[in-house]
Amino acid sequence: MASKTLALVLLFQLLVNTGAFASLGSSQGARHATQLQSYLESLGQPGAVASFAPPAPAAAAPVANGNVAPASPFPYVPLSDFAVSNLESKGPRATADWGTPADATAKLGNYGCLSGGTWFCTEGGWPSPNEKAHTEVFYVLSGFGSLDDADGARHYFGPGDTVIIPKGHTGRWDVNQAIHKVWAVNAHEQIEDKSPIIRVQVDHYNSFASELLSPVENGYDPLYGTTAPVTGSVAPSAKTFYNVGPTQVGVWSSRERGSFAVQSGKASWIYILEGVAYITMGRESRRCVAGDSVLLPAGWSGHVDVVEPVKKLWTTAAV
């Protein structure tokens, strides 16, 4: 891992030496270079884990007309549908204090207070003084940036990182290299984090390694709720790394193939990190591969078939 971190640092130095940031202008280029260097240095701090994402899933051909997935009993979108060229432009941000950040978005769908989608933004920064109206969880597909808390504490993130912004957070956003992310939002009623300063949480991809997860036991799965084996030797493991009020976030994995029934699933957003699995609800079944986003309603029943060893990032919302 140290060698990979060193390689990133050497790449950064090469970019600086060859003038890769020069096209941004002296002030903006210096900001970009300094903050990217800070991100790389943060990976070398004691206790830090480098955020090396899995190999990018192969993109399918772009969909016609810029539309997302067709209607189904549960919202499902392959990565190709979330290509930047398919997103709806929202224009530049009026409150930017550097750069010209411009947003583009697309929505996966929603079930009650839980929704999902994707977001792209070009370089720039802006203050965020108003309390965030919901809890957001996002996974960084590409790009680098940072979020500040109200006291100026800065949280850097890059490809493969999962970022959680709790409801009530205030601070600022900086996009140092154009960011593309997939996101889930839980629009719960109350601010659940009672800390004097509500802080962003960043979890790196390497913290999702299979050996760091715990076996799912006693027939209760933190993602799928009550389950029952059907075929094969599915032996799931999981890790919940955020559990505040009605919002839980974690990772789920199975190295073994097989099927299991879901009797009363939770309202959940799922992003497939690795592998292949089928999710079946009623008469509808979806083949889910790395890069796919799925939204499932509270109380759903059906079954999950693990076709190839799979790993999923998930968010559930208590209703």
Side-chain angles (χ1 to χ4, degrees):
M1 183 178 299
S3 62
K4 291 183 178 179
T5 304
L6 176 59
L8 282 173
V9 174
L10 292 175
L11 175 60
F12 166 79
Q13 292 174 342
L14 177 63
L15 291 171
V16 172
N17 292 339
T18 57
F21 299 117
S23 62
L24 298 175
S26 58
S27 177
Q28 186 176 339
R31 182 194 297 270
H32 187 135
T34 300
Q35 295 197 355
L36 182 54
Q37 183 177 35
S38 297
Y39 173 77
L40 295 175
E41 289 174 349
S42 75
L43 300 180
Q45 294 175 355
V49 182
S51 60
F52 300 109
V63 294
N65 303 321
N67 294 322
V68 294
S72 73
F74 55 92
Y76 154 88
V77 174
L79 182 63
S80 59
D81 284 22
F82 276 167
V84 174
S85 59
N86 290 335
L87 308 187
E88 179 184 355
S89 174
K90 298 296 184 181
R93 286 185 169 263
T95 58
D97 53 20
W98 74 272
T100 53
D103 304 62
T105 65
K107 195 169 183 180
L108 168 64
N110 65 277
Y111 282 119
C113 64
L114 183 64
S115 59
T118 189
W119 181 82
F120 175 81
C121 188
T122 56
E123 290 86 350
W126 61 92
S128 184
N130 298 324
E131 291 185 345
K132 193 167 183 66
H134 46 249
T135 294
E136 179 183 356
V137 180
F138 66 84
Y139 178 81
V140 182
L141 300 173
S142 61
F144 294 90
S146 64
L147 277 157
D148 290 7
D149 299 328
D151 62 353
R154 182 160 294 171
H155 308 271
Y156 295 98
F157 48 84
D161 287 343
T162 298
V163 183
I164 302 166
I165 315 175
K167 181 183 176 79
H169 179 269
T170 62
R172 71 169 285 119
W173 259 95
D174 287 288
V175 177
N176 304 315
Q177 185 182 83
I179 287 176
H180 190 192
K181 68 181 186 182
V182 288
W183 56 264
V185 158
N186 185 355
H188 51 89
E189 292 185 0
Q190 305 296 324
I191 294 177
E192 302 289 342
D193 190 331
K194 305 303 182 183
S195 306
I197 296 176
I198 298 177
R199 299 199 180 280
V200 165
Q201 177 176 321
V202 179
D203 292 88
H204 301 308
Y205 193 84
N206 278 11
S207 66
F208 301 162
S210 297
E211 58 269 22
L212 300 179
L213 311 184
S214 300
V216 172
E217 299 175 339
N218 303 320
Y220 188 79
D221 191 295
L223 170 57
Y224 293 111
T226 303
T227 63
V230 177
T231 62
S233 55
V234 176
S237 56
K239 174 183 179 181
T240 301
F241 52 86
Y242 183 84
N243 186 359
V244 178
T247 307
Q248 293 76 45
V249 185
V251 63
W252 187 98
S253 177
S254 178
R255 296 182 178 182
E256 304 296 333
R257 297 173 174 83
S259 301
F260 59 90
V262 179
Q263 300 173 10
S264 182
K266 300 180 179 182
S268 54
W269 168 85
I270 298 171
Y271 179 74
I272 308 297
L273 297 168
E274 304 172 18
V276 181
Y278 282 83
I279 298 176
T280 300
M281 184 174 74
R283 296 183 177 181
E284 189 76 14
S285 183
R286 288 290 187 183
R287 181 177 185 269
C288 303
V289 302
D292 291 355
S293 298
V294 179
L295 202 61
L296 296 165
W300 76 278
S301 61
H303 59 273
V304 176
D305 303 286
V306 177
V307 179
E308 296 179 6
V310 69
K311 185 174 291 184
K312 312 173 184 181
L313 175 67
W314 56 264
T315 298
T316 60
V319 294

